[in-house]
Amino acid sequence: MATIRNIVILGGGTFGITAARKIAAKVDTTRYKVIVVTPRPYYVHLPGLIRTLVTSDGALEKQIFMPYGSTLNGKGDVVVANAVSFTETKEGGEISLSNGECISYSGLVLAPGTKWEGALSLPDEPSAILEHIKSWREKIRNAASILLVGGGAVGVEFAGELKDYFPSKPVSLTHAHAQLLNDAYPDKYRSALLARLGKTGTEIILNDYVDVTEPSKDGTITTRSGKTIHADLIIPTRGGRPNTDVVSKSLGADSLTESGHIKVLPTLQLPDHPRIFAAGDAINWKEQKQAGKADGHAAVVAENVLTVLNGGEPSATYKGSPEIIIASVGRTGGASYLGVLWGPVFGDAVSSRIKSRGLLIEIIRQKLGLGRLE
């Protein structure tokens, strides 16, 4: 009987699971097994996390954490552990896990995702996650006023949720640029989003920075420009950092850019590492880091992994994806941009119907074949 070799995906987020499912759909199970290594026993639906941290309404913690269940359709396993390090040979390598196990691989896909700070930095243990959520809900409920530091999509959506559930609570948001988000999006969309968020009563402070994570004893924060903001709770809402420490540890610092992103070829292989691929937020690719890019990454990775394992030269290349964003502003508002045709911008009606009301929870559950918490 031939030895069954492993194709291992490090990361159980949207990019990791999407790649694993595409590989599992094509793989010869008499020769290969797909294994996903992930630190938590369930998928975390990040678009629903902000509202979950703000309110207990709807018990969203029972909805946004989705057991992996049959996501691989019986063609692989999910191993709950952190990758500590991995080695590489001409035929594959071996991964050392935090649970003491080692897993060999013939093909490796790195999809480690992003490291967040503050409220969005979830622990790994399920019980600790629930305590984390409870703690932040209490902090938010008890705060007299709140400052959000960072005006990207996370900051905008956090402000929207806070003003939706606590409309009389003063909320301020600082952002380093002259407009919300960044210049990947046209001014017409950024202006529309600024106007929509402004309607909530959020104090929006642009072209300014906050360098502290705790307010002073008198409940104030001084920005770099000298402006005084009153807040007794600071929530960091800056963009996350690539979760790539294990890559640097295993392959050396040269495998990453200065920002910590994984260097990749258009085939999504790592240079000089033909059996190692990468996908998702952690790769060095000039595009916005969004779950909507997962299908494009996964299609290239799946085709090329199997080509390499069958002795061929990978030919599928990633060419990027259109920039599309739906930014929720509470349960009934938002602004959306579609980066095709003339670049249409949509308001509350479209944004709430697609995302703000249901947070895409059921759409993602069905798409990734995920289960429900009991």
Side-chain angles (χ1 to χ4, degrees):
M1 180 180 293
T3 301
I4 295 179
R5 296 182 289 171
N6 297 324
I7 303 171
V8 179
I9 293 86
L10 295 186
T14 305
F15 286 89
I17 290 300
T18 303
R21 284 170 60 84
K22 286 190 181 294
I23 294 169
K26 297 181 176 184
V27 77
D28 179 353
T29 55
T30 66
R31 299 177 61 199
Y32 297 105
K33 181 179 182 179
V34 177
I35 298 176
V36 176
V37 175
T38 183
R40 303 185 187 96
Y42 39 60
Y43 171 89
V44 178
H45 180 55
L46 289 173
L49 180 58
I50 294 173
R51 188 175 297 169
T52 305
L53 291 162
V54 170
T55 180
S56 60
D57 186 31
L60 286 173
E61 63 273 21
K62 294 182 179 179
Q63 301 178 54
I64 68 165
F65 303 125
M66 307 177 188
Y68 290 106
S70 59
T71 187
L72 298 179
N73 297 313
K75 293 186 176 182
D77 292 329
V78 174
V79 175
V80 179
N82 281 293
V84 175
S85 64
F86 56 88
T87 61
E88 180 189 23
T89 68
K90 289 183 179 181
E91 299 301 319
E94 190 173 79
I95 305 162
S96 298
L97 304 181
S98 58
N99 61 8
E101 295 180 13
C102 290
I103 299 177
S104 63
Y105 70 85
S106 292
L108 177 63
V109 180
L110 306 173
T114 298
K115 289 191 290 189
W116 298 95
E117 57 182 327
L120 297 174
S121 179
L122 292 179
D124 291 339
E125 289 296 324
S127 60
I129 290 176
L130 294 178
E131 284 300 316
H132 177 90
I133 291 170
K134 180 181 177 182
S135 172
W136 274 98
R137 285 175 179 170
E138 290 178 355
K139 290 179 184 178
I140 289 168
R141 184 173 61 250
N142 294 333
S145 52
I146 297 173
L147 170 63
L148 303 169
V149 181
V154 170
V156 169
E157 296 199 349
F158 231 123
E161 298 297 342
L162 289 169
K163 294 302 289 185
D164 193 0
Y165 285 96
F166 302 96
S168 63
K169 193 185 295 286
V171 174
S172 303
L173 178 148
T174 60
H175 190 50
H177 303 290
Q179 284 271 33
L180 295 173
L181 307 180
N182 60 44
D183 61 8
Y185 304 104
D187 284 346
K188 65 177 181 179
Y189 173 63
R190 298 168 78 183
S191 296
L193 187 59
L194 180 66
R196 182 59 186 86
L197 185 60
K199 289 181 180 179
T200 66
T202 300
E203 180 188 19
I204 304 167
I205 302 159
L206 300 172
N207 280 324
D208 212 344
Y209 298 77
V210 168
D211 298 307
V212 298
T213 56
E214 295 289 339
S216 61
K217 291 181 180 179
D218 64 354
T220 62
I221 299 99
T222 302
T223 69
R224 286 190 193 177
S225 72
K227 181 179 176 61
T228 298
I229 302 171
H230 293 274
D232 55 1
L233 177 63
I234 298 176
I235 303 178
T237 51
R238 292 175 284 253
R241 294 179 293 113
N243 184 26
T244 51
D245 290 349
V246 69
V247 181
S248 177
K249 178 180 178 181
S250 302
L251 298 179
D254 288 347
S255 60
L256 306 179
T257 65
E258 289 186 4
S259 63
H261 290 88
I262 303 168
K263 297 176 182 177
V264 292
L265 303 170
T267 56
L268 298 186
Q269 291 168 292
L270 274 64
D272 303 318
H273 304 285
R275 287 178 178 262
I276 303 179
F277 297 76
D281 294 355
I283 71 168
N284 181 40
W285 199 273
K286 190 177 180 181
E287 64 181 6
Q288 296 302 287
K289 310 302 184 183
Q290 295 170 320
K293 311 280 196 319
D295 284 333
H297 288 209
V300 172
V301 167
E303 180 174 337
N304 287 340
V305 165
L306 296 175
T307 296
V308 168
L309 295 186
N310 288 323
E313 286 292 326
S315 59
T317 57
Y318 183 63
K319 297 178 176 63
S321 304
E323 295 300 346
I324 298 171
I325 184 173
I326 306 171
S328 297
V329 179
R331 289 165 288 183
T332 59
S336 305
Y337 166 72
L338 186 62
V340 297
L341 301 174
W342 65 92
V345 174
F346 303 97
D348 289 346
V350 170
S351 304
S352 61
R353 185 177 302 140
I354 297 174
K355 181 182 178 184
S356 308
R357 293 175 188 168
L359 298 171
L360 307 173
I361 290 172
E362 289 306 318
I363 292 173
I364 291 296
R365 190 193 312 281
Q366 294 175 22
K367 179 180 178 180
L368 298 183
L370 298 163
R372 300 174 186 271
L373 286 180
E374 298 296 330

